[in-house]
Amino acid sequence: MATVLTSVTAAQRLDSRGKPTVQVDVETSDGKFRAIVPSGASKGDYEAVERRDGGKAFGGNGVLEAVQNVKEVIGPALIAKGFDLKAGLKEIDSFMIDLDGSSDKSNLGANAILGVSLACARACAAANGIPLYEFLARETQSRRQDFVLPVPFLNVLNGGVHSGNPMAFQEFMIAPVGAASFAQGIQWAAEVYQELKAIITKTFGKAAIGIGDEGGFAPPISKPHEALDLITEAIKAAGYEGLFKIGIDPASSEFFHDGQYDLGFKSSEPQKLSRAQLTDLYQGLVGKYPIALLEDPFAQDDWDSWSAFNQICKVSNVELVGDDLLATNIRRIEKASQADACNSLLLKVNQIGTVSEAIAAAEKAFKLGWSVFVSHRSGETTDDFIADLTVAIGCGHLKSGAPCRGERVAKYNRLMDIEEELAAKKIASSYAGEAFRYAHANAGS
């Protein structure tokens, strides 16, 4: 007997920055399933388009039009079609894409479409009587024989447009690659985070332990090496020297203007670097600190810099992640492949607007021999969907912010739940650890 949608509704709710976002509820004979859509601050030009209301309410950021589109357009159309949720999500997502009719989901709004896609994924899992991560794994082209728990990359120092300090680089992340399990990795990371708090307090005073959008501290520092020195000191103080790697997301599109990169863009004193000078800065940092990953080190259309730097990363074995460069979009992935511009995809479901397209983007990246790095957004919600998605595709690593703030910790808590559930069911699983970049290739399929 088919399981179909009996109700689709939506409401305007708030994300972690207090901005409106779309909440969707779908109902079937199995119950009610909810999803809440995240939103980014540093958005690339190639992302799917959110529908915002304009006007005075919430500074123009209201989403009542997107909510109305769910209630009056998407929901009734889906119910009329009567999709069997046991058959999976792809036809539902394809139908919504066609219903929107634009190339960037701007007609109905990517926030409207994604909310329905996320909620329907949960309903599909329930219709099949399986956990969400197992359902999403079935939605991939190749069924996995085991599950991989990811290495968490925790953003413990914030800068860029995510904080009010003068630091240009947006994120400095710690990754507990030497842990034996996800739960142990989170424990270690939380301990390093507390050591970092103590060090910042001692160095700059209690006023300096305010946090940015993703829960990382935002002390009054402006130079990348200052952040990295604080992090390495905290790792050592916690007793885990040599067991962590570091990731950096400069989000450089935010400070690229007229062919130069201005590291002083948040202050009154410009610090403009050429492409070559910025490359030299990165190489110096990689040579001095245990940096395993660089995300968006150059602007989204600075193709020559990306391609040249990727050759350097191949030698230094650094994961070069495209975020704004790729926007979780297969066309951009193909262009980057032709230009040999990076070796990893940052996977943000709301950049593309449906779960099925996000999975397809990940599979395209895997076929190219790339890594895939799942990500939250700076304007997050307590929805923990990406935790299940990360396990489902076996990509080996994700970022969800610091071990602080409920909307960040929700993802980490869900991953610990999944790890325990798999162990209790005696289902084969492992922690990605040092081999996080190649977890998908190394696991059975």
Side-chain angles (χ1 to χ4, degrees), residues 22-36:
V22 178
Q23 175 179 286
V24 173
D25 287 297
V26 303
E27 288 189 56
T28 74
S29 58
D30 295 310
K32 181 182 285 188
F33 306 93
R34 172 170 291 176
I36 313 179

Side-chain angles (χ1 to χ4, degrees), residues 296-379:
D296 276 4
F298 301 99
Q300 62 192 12
D301 289 314
D302 189 2
W303 289 99
D304 289 344
S305 295
W306 277 93
S307 298
F309 194 62
N310 194 28
Q311 304 311 307
I312 296 170
C313 288
K314 290 177 182 179
V315 175
S316 56
N317 196 31
V318 170
E319 182 174 352
L320 180 57
V321 185
D323 177 12
D324 292 345
L325 180 77
L326 305 174
T328 315
N329 188 304
I330 285 180
R331 291 191 297 274
R332 295 286 293 183
I333 293 170
E334 290 173 342
K335 184 173 182 179
S337 174
Q338 292 169 3
D340 197 15
C342 62
N343 58 42
S344 182
L345 163 70
L346 193 75
L347 190 71
K348 291 177 174 175
V349 182
N350 87 311
Q351 279 185 328
I352 192 63
T354 67
V355 174
S356 298
E357 289 172 292
I359 290 173
E363 291 186 321
K364 177 67 175 179
F366 287 140
K367 286 180 180 177
L368 291 171
W370 292 5
S371 304
V372 174
F373 187 29
V374 170
S375 175
H376 63 165
R377 298 308 303 254
S378 54

Side-chain angles (χ1 to χ4, degrees), residues 405-424:
R405 299 179 57 125
E407 77 281 357
R408 313 295 155 184
V409 173
K411 282 71 166 173
Y412 300 134
N413 285 342
R414 172 60 182 156
L415 284 161
M416 286 189 279
D417 288 343
I418 292 173
E419 187 172 58
E420 286 188 5
E421 181 179 312
L422 291 170

Side-chain angles (χ1 to χ4, degrees), residues 13-22 36-43 50 52 114 161-162 170-171 212-215 348 350 375-383 400 405 407-408 411:
R13 296 294 183 259
L14 298 181
D15 69 16
S16 61
R17 280 197 292 258
K19 284 180 62 175
T21 189
V22 178
I36 313 179
V37 178
S39 179
S42 56
K43 297 180 182 178
E50 296 176 333
R52 298 282 178 180
L114 179 60
V161 298
H162 290 176
Q170 187 166 277
E171 300 177 11
D213 283 352
E214 296 181 355
K348 291 177 174 175
N350 87 311
S375 175
H376 63 165
R377 298 308 303 254
S378 54
E380 256 299 336
T381 74
T382 50
D383 194 316
S400 181
R405 299 179 57 125
E407 77 281 357
R408 313 295 155 184
K411 282 71 166 173

